[in-house]
Structures are given as C-alpha cells and as structure tokens.
Amino acid sequence: SPLFLRSAKETLEEGMSFFGIVERFPESIALFRSVFTNTSGYEVSADAENRSEIAGGSLSSRARERLEELNVNDLELYDFALGLFRRRVASLGL
C-alpha cells in the first residue's frame, strides 16, 4: 500500500545509516567503511567472486504487465534507494 511505501522510504532514509546496492558493490563497501570506521579493507579476487549466470526466460506481455503491476511499490522503493545511495556515495566524492 502507499502507506507502507512511504514508511519504507522514511526508514531507509532516516533509520538506516547504511545499506548497499549489489550492482554497485565496490561503492557499497566504500560507503560501509565510511559509516563504520575502523573496519579493515575488503577485496574479493575475481576468481573468488560468487557470480550466477543470468537465467534466460521469457514472459508473455500479459504476464509481464501483471508482474510489473504486482511489483510497482517494490520498483518505486528500489528507484528511491538508488537515488539515496547515489547521493550518499557522491557525498564521499566517489
């Protein structure tokens, strides 16, 4: 519901000093280290990364529309989180 979405946005912005974005992992680690000081460095070698293959598949246009309809709040929250993440990272000069 819109009420839950608004609450989730407020919690993310005001109640969480840190969250990361998987697609922006290196920046997430840098942000983590800026929030939680005295943390050691963190690097993962390419051969130790845990990567899954992108699963293929196709949905009918009707199924895709229904999926987007069911996830409209999730997608809006994700877009909000990305914007907040970008601002927080930018404040570090990254």
Side-chain angles (χ1 to χ4, degrees), residues 27-42:
E27 292 165 308
S28 295
I29 293 298
L31 186 58
F32 178 87
R33 294 186 72 214
S34 76
V35 171
F36 302 103
T37 57
N38 298 324
T39 58
S40 60
Y42 182 86

Side-chain angles (χ1 to χ4, degrees), residues 39-57:
T39 58
S40 60
Y42 182 86
E43 291 188 30
V44 177
S45 63
D47 60 324
E49 287 182 358
N50 184 6
R51 301 257 176 192
S52 60
E53 293 182 27
I54 296 174

Side-chain angles (χ1 to χ4, degrees), residues 5 13-14 24 27 29 36 40-42 49 56 65 75-76 78 80 82-83 90-91:
L5 178 59
E13 187 166 24
E14 299 166 13
R24 302 202 38 197
E27 292 165 308
I29 293 298
F36 302 103
S40 60
Y42 182 86
E49 287 182 358
E65 287 172 12
L75 294 170
E76 186 173 333
Y78 181 74
F80 176 82
L82 279 176
S91 73

Side-chain angles (χ1 to χ4, degrees), residues 1-8 73:
S1 81
L3 179 63
F4 292 145
L5 178 59
R6 183 172 39 253
S7 175
N73 287 340

Side-chain angles (χ1 to χ4, degrees), residues 72-87:
V72 69
N73 287 340
D74 294 328
L75 294 170
E76 186 173 333
L77 181 60
Y78 181 74
D79 286 341
F80 176 82
L82 279 176
L84 180 57
F85 180 83
R86 287 183 185 120
R87 288 191 301 277

